[in-house]
Amino acid sequence: MTVELSSAGFRTTTERLRLHDWLLGPGQATEVIDTFPAANGDFHFIVDDRADTHIASADGRFYLGHFPNGRPGAEREGWVLAVTGTARTPGYRVVFDPDTPAHLVARTVSEVLATAKRL
């Protein structure tokens, strides 16, 4: 029996080891806020005295909080997205670090909003 040694183990090229330019930095919170439909009455926006932004759906089941300096009493929470569950299905909560790029948070929020259906 012969074994082909050239295909065994870890192989790569110098080109594949080069660094990538990744999306970094918090960006602008307006990228996230702009994902909400304008003036349709489905969402309430509040900016509090700490300049934290809170967005909730009119039915109270969706919440998004933006805490530019971190959420008080929490460790490294810059964005909190929560959807309340039902009697049969649990809800969920997604937390983003304050340094998470707003573009990524906006994409996540857009996906959640796109899946919502009126009952």
Side-chain angles (χ1 to χ4, degrees):
M1 170 172 21
T2 61
V3 176
E4 178 61 45
L5 295 177
S6 64
S7 66
F10 177 75
R11 292 185 330 197
T12 191
T13 64
T14 304
E15 188 60 35
R16 287 187 178 176
L17 292 175
R18 294 198 192 285
L19 293 177
H20 289 77
D21 184 20
W22 297 99
L23 180 63
L24 296 173
Q28 297 295 319
T30 54
E31 286 186 67
V32 180
I33 294 167
D34 288 347
T35 63
F36 290 88
N40 67 1
D42 285 348
F43 297 95
H44 304 286
F45 295 77
I46 298 172
V47 178
D48 65 20
D49 61 340
R50 289 178 16 100
D52 296 336
T53 303
H54 308 274
I55 302 169
S57 62
D59 67 2
R61 295 200 45 222
F62 172 94
Y63 170 79
L64 177 70
H66 177 228
F67 309 93
N69 299 315
R71 191 166 71 85
E75 212 40 53
R76 304 288 301 151
E77 291 187 5
W79 295 90
V80 175
L81 184 150
V83 176
T84 303
T86 65
R88 293 191 176 122
T89 308
Y92 56 90
R93 184 174 185 263
V94 181
V95 177
F96 297 94
D97 189 275
D99 296 320
T100 301
H103 180 76
L104 299 178
V105 177
R107 293 292 299 260
T108 303
V109 170
S110 291
E111 287 298 315
V112 172
L113 294 177
T115 62
K117 296 182 282 191
R118 286 191 185 272
L119 298 177

